[in-house]
Amino acid sequence: MRIAVCDDEEKYRFQAKAMIDNMSGSLDTIVDAFGDGRKLLEAFDKRPYEVLFLDIEMPAMDGITLAKKIREKNDSVYIVFLTSHVEYALEGYEVNALRYLTKPLREDKLREVLKFVMDKNTNKKQLLIKEDGEEILLNVSDIIYMEAQNQYVMIYTTHGEHLIRYNITDFEKQLKKDGFFRTHRGYLVSLAKVKRMAKSDVVMEAGDEEIEVPVSRSNIKPLKEALYSYVENSAF
């Protein structure tokens, strides 16, 4: 899980980061600290965070404005405001804020927030990849499809693309139980992102766009069966 803290006051910024680091107790949790909302916005564009702790009163870009810009890009990130003034609470409804925490932070209140988020993410599987020497955690639910490119695999997600040195067959084995299907020798798709089937392609949903992925003739019937089974098992 990727968490960001943004506060222009250094003591509160590092207090929050240290407390979250201590409470998360997980190697899969990354906590970054920013003193400027514009810097956080730049970082979010590259690799979105799952939880944001935002100070409301910041000189360059206040927390409410920052949250609105974030919401234009992502409607699933958890936003928690840090403030000394509860009168700002009403503005938080505009950006669907999860919680308000007063400064200085209380451990019990912060623990409540982290527990809530972690409980929500318990069933959210993540994939650890290495790109350009950096380890990155991808939410499996964000993956649209994968494409083999010689000795590399291009991973297309709802938040961007990742080219890594890997074998697509190994990904097929890892993700088979998570609703992924090998439509073609060079393609592995998420059944959850399939919008419809065409004659020899499957149309994938990617935000406002549609992407056509080839399906080999021998895989057309197995793909239909996999889709039917996935829909049945996913139904409430």
Side-chain angles (χ1 to χ4, degrees), residues 121-133:
N121 289 343
T122 297
N123 298 320
K124 187 184 287 185
K125 182 173 179 179
Q126 294 182 309
L127 194 67
L128 181 65
I129 64 171
K130 182 172 285 189
E131 182 180 31
D132 298 328

Side-chain angles (χ1 to χ4, degrees), residues 91-129:
E91 296 185 61
Y93 288 113
E94 296 180 35
V95 292
N96 192 25
L98 172 64
R99 190 85 177 262
Y100 275 77
L101 296 180
T102 56
K103 297 192 295 184
L105 285 176
R106 285 175 46 184
E107 287 193 20
D108 58 334
K109 297 300 181 183
L110 179 58
R111 195 179 300 279
E112 285 177 8
V113 170
L114 292 177
K115 184 179 185 305
F116 174 85
V117 173
M118 289 178 178
D119 286 346
K120 286 286 186 180
N121 289 343
T122 297
N123 298 320
K124 187 184 287 185
K125 182 173 179 179
Q126 294 182 309
L127 194 67
L128 181 65
I129 64 171

Side-chain angles (χ1 to χ4, degrees), residues 66-81:
L66 174 58
K68 288 178 179 178
K69 291 181 178 295
I70 293 289
R71 276 287 178 249
E72 291 174 2
K73 305 170 185 292
N74 188 301
D75 60 4
S76 63
V77 59
Y78 294 104
I79 295 176
V80 179
F81 284 120

Side-chain angles (χ1 to χ4, degrees), residues 1 3 17 48 68 96 102 113-114 143 174 182 186 198 231:
M1 181 166 60
I3 299 174
K17 174 175 166 50
K68 288 178 179 178
N96 192 25
T102 56
V113 170
L114 292 177
I143 299 172
Q174 285 179 253
R182 189 83 169 266
V231 171

